[in-house]
Amino acid sequence: MDQKQAVTAFAALAQSTRLNVVRLLVKAGQEGMAAGALKDAVGASSSNLSFHLKELEHAGLIHSRRQSRSIIYSASFDGLSELIRFLTEDCCQGHPEVCGPFTTGSKFCCPEPENA
Amino acid sequence: MDQKQAVTAFAALAQSTRLNVVRLLVKAGQEGMAAGALKDAVGASSSNLSFHLKELEHAGLIHSRRQSRSIIYSASFDGLSELIRFLTEDCCQGHPEVCGPFTTGSKFCCPEPENA
DNA sequence: TCAATCCTTCAATAATCATTGAATATATAA
DNA sequence: TTATATATTCAATGATTATTGAAGGATTGA
């Protein structure tokens, strides 16, 4: 992931309807949700939601697949993971202990012990 | 953290100079960096950088403290942590195993085993 | 094929954000 | 007190983004 992709991804998350959608899809997991279900859940017009879904997909944060008449959207866990990793890269370089409260147990900052 | 705060925070990260600043400060750790050093590092004008630093501070992603003539900025690890937690809340509810690639070992999605 | 459902595309408008340079504020040193 | 270093504020301009409603594309069932 480079700076430009990351800016695009953060911009995609920087809008209430879209953030709502991503959080719903993160909860939903692999199964995902149909565009219509998302529309009901977030209360947007269908054209507006479609615009936002396209932004999110373009940013690499969600995927879509057709299932009969519906289009099912799901979170891209890879995309989200890369984004967080980019943001927190080399966290507290040389002094990882200060990142503790931020990333205890996480691979994003302080590496986990080998024996984990 | 609520939806509105999260949108503000993501918007703050959705700009190249600001993202650059945050990543530098994440690397710098508690020690932080002076505004002047950030200015040199990111190549912005001082007024422009000041504008961006204010946005980041307002978003709760960085802190500032005065040290003699300089103002030292540092990452808010609490702010970053809350933001990521908000984004990934209830990840894959009911089927946490699918989040594995995303958050293995992290508290953000799949809870760590009790014996960790 | 016809109608219904589900979703997307398009063009126009309204709203928000980034950049610039000049002026200002704060702290230190001579 | 005066000069210097460091950083912020302000107003104006240019650029980007969100929303709306109407029209169009894809899929299914009768």
Side-chain angles (χ1 to χ4, degrees):
Chain A
M1 168 158 297
D2 61 21
Q3 180 91 358
K4 194 177 168 190
Q5 289 177 289
V7 167
T8 299
F10 283 122
L13 295 170
Q15 202 278 341
S16 194
T17 300
R18 288 197 296 258
L19 180 54
N20 224 321
V21 164
V22 170
R23 291 189 354 116
L24 286 168
L25 294 181
V26 164
K27 287 186 183 59
Q30 299 188 117
E31 191 181 339
M33 291 174 71
L38 286 168
K39 171 183 176 303
D40 294 342
V42 305
S45 71
S46 52
S47 77
N48 185 242
L49 179 64
S50 193
F51 165 78
H52 289 308
L53 289 171
K54 200 172 182 185
E55 292 280 310
L56 288 169
E57 191 164 24
H58 176 246
L61 297 175
I62 66 174
H63 296 126
S64 64
R65 62 185 194 270
R66 181 176 280 275
Q67 186 174 93
S68 178
R69 287 182 195 167
S70 296
I71 299 197
I72 310 293
Y73 286 89
S74 52
S76 167
F77 292 101
D78 282 354
L80 290 165
S81 175
E82 280 185 46
L83 183 62
I84 295 171
R85 199 166 307 147
F86 182 82
L87 180 63
T88 59
E89 193 179 45
D90 299 327
C91 180
C92 299
Q93 194 164 29
H95 298 281
E97 67 279 8
V98 304
C99 300
F102 174 37
T103 51
T104 299
S106 162
K107 63 187 168 184
F108 297 133
C109 171
C110 317
E112 295 185 77
E114 293 297 288
N115 58 13
Chain B
M1 168 157 296
D2 62 20
Q3 181 92 358
K4 194 177 167 190
Q5 290 177 287
V7 167
T8 299
F10 283 123
L13 295 171
Q15 201 279 340
S16 194
T17 299
R18 289 197 295 259
L19 180 55
N20 224 321
V21 165
V22 170
R23 294 194 346 123
L24 286 167
L25 294 179
V26 163
K27 287 186 184 60
Q30 300 188 117
E31 190 181 339
M33 291 174 71
L38 285 169
K39 172 183 175 303
D40 294 342
V42 306
S45 72
S46 51
S47 78
N48 184 242
L49 180 63
S50 193
F51 165 77
H52 288 309
L53 288 171
K54 200 172 183 188
E55 292 279 309
L56 288 170
E57 193 164 22
H58 176 247
L61 297 176
I62 66 175
H63 296 126
S64 64
R65 60 185 195 273
R66 180 176 281 274
Q67 186 174 94
S68 178
R69 287 182 194 168
S70 296
I71 299 196
I72 310 292
Y73 286 89
S74 53
S76 168
F77 291 100
D78 282 356
L80 289 166
S81 175
E82 280 186 46
L83 183 62
I84 294 172
R85 200 166 306 146
F86 182 82
L87 180 63
T88 59
E89 192 178 46
D90 299 327
C91 180
C92 300
Q93 195 163 29
H95 298 281
E97 67 279 8
V98 304
C99 302
F102 175 36
T103 52
T104 299
S106 163
K107 64 188 168 183
F108 297 133
C109 170
C110 318
E112 297 186 77
E114 292 298 287
N115 57 13

